[in-house]
């Protein structure tokens, strides 16, 4: 007996969920790596604030990577584990060099915009497949990410005389 039969999900309806999870996994892996880059290379006035925030974000991303891969397995597929394959399909691209200041905040907001859109799509796909567990997993991610977006936007509201004031990494 297959796992999907036991948990009561229709394989034909779950295939789109598996494909979307595979895409999300690729993007989370690149997002995670980019966060490590930012964390390792941050410099300047806001070093302590941003160094800690990047660490918080990459730890959360690492947990999500594991949960997404395990959900793919629970749905009867095998998660990709090669960065070379992630790079071929990821919509989040590797950082080429180090970004800093407002650019890093804007980059984080773009990452969240991308991930949130994928997760909302996954909630819809999971709903169509009666896959409440995947939908619930994505809803949890959204709650955290929406809070992070709000906090980053509030942080970026600080009036700067120049870009070097905010989390410089150059």
């Amino acid at each position: 007996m297959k796992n999907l039969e036991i948990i009561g999900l229709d394989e034909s309806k779950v295939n789109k969920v598996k494909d979307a999870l595979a895409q999300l996994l690729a993007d989370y892996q690149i997002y995670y790596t980019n966060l490590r880059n930012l964390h390792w290379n941050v410099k300047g006035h806001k070093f302590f604030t941003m160094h800690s925030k990047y660490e918080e974000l990459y730890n959360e991303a690492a947990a999500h990577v594991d949960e997404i891969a395990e959900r793919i397995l629970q749905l009867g597929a095998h998660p990709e584990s090669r960065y070379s394959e992630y790079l071929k399909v990821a919509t989040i691209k590797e950082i080429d060099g180090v970004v800093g200041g407002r650019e890093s905040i804007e980059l984080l907001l773009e990452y969240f915009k991308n991930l949130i859109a994928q997760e909302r799509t996954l909630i819809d796909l999971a709903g169509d497949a009666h896959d409440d567990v995947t939908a619930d997993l994505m809803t949890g991610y959204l709650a955290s990410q929406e809070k992070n977006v709000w906090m980053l936007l509030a942080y970026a509201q600080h009036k700067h005389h120049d870009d070097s004031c905010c989390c410089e990494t150059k």
Side-chain angles (χ1 to χ4, degrees):
M1 194 177 281
K2 288 183 161 184
N3 190 44
L4 290 179
E5 290 174 27
I6 296 169
I7 64 176
L9 295 176
D10 182 332
E11 186 168 1
S12 65
K13 292 181 180 180
V14 172
N15 284 334
K16 289 181 182 178
V17 174
K18 291 188 282 191
D19 291 343
L21 283 169
Q23 178 64 55
L24 187 62
L25 178 62
D27 282 307
Y28 257 102
Q29 288 285 38
I30 305 306
Y31 167 65
Y32 170 83
T33 300
N34 287 349
L35 289 169
R36 296 301 302 236
N37 178 334
L38 292 169
H39 174 76
W40 291 330
N41 294 294
V42 66
K43 294 182 177 90
H45 179 69
K46 299 294 183 183
F47 172 83
F48 289 107
T49 302
M50 293 311 297
H51 188 75
S52 294
K53 187 62 176 177
Y54 294 139
E55 185 173 6
E56 172 192 323
L57 291 172
Y58 74 66
N59 284 333
E60 182 178 66
H64 291 181
V65 163
D66 193 51
E67 292 166 344
I68 294 165
E70 288 176 354
R71 187 65 189 153
I72 291 169
L73 286 163
Q74 292 165 22
L75 295 175
H78 296 284
E80 182 57 64
S81 62
R82 295 170 292 173
Y83 269 85
S84 60
E85 294 302 313
Y86 297 143
L87 290 169
K88 291 176 186 176
V89 300
T91 58
I92 293 176
K93 300 304 177 193
E94 287 181 305
I95 296 173
D96 184 20
V98 178
V99 297
R102 287 193 182 271
E103 185 182 4
S104 65
I105 300 299
E106 290 170 7
L107 187 62
L108 289 174
L109 291 169
E110 282 300 313
Y111 292 158
F112 283 128
K113 182 178 179 180
N114 179 319
L115 296 171
I116 287 169
Q118 288 188 60
E119 291 156 0
R120 289 192 193 288
T121 298
L122 258 158
I123 289 169
D124 290 340
L125 292 171
D128 291 343
H130 304 290
D131 179 1
D132 299 329
V133 173
T134 298
D136 186 56
L137 186 64
M138 295 302 112
T139 301
Y141 294 176
L142 289 173
S144 173
Q145 291 163 344
E146 287 182 7
K147 185 173 183 178
N148 277 314
V149 166
W150 165 66
M151 293 173 86
L152 286 168
L153 287 170
Y155 183 77
Q157 292 298 314
H158 176 69
K159 298 288 183 195
H160 300 286
H161 294 356
D162 62 44
D163 193 47
S164 66
C165 177
C166 178
C167 55
E168 188 62 35
T169 59
K170 295 178 183 174

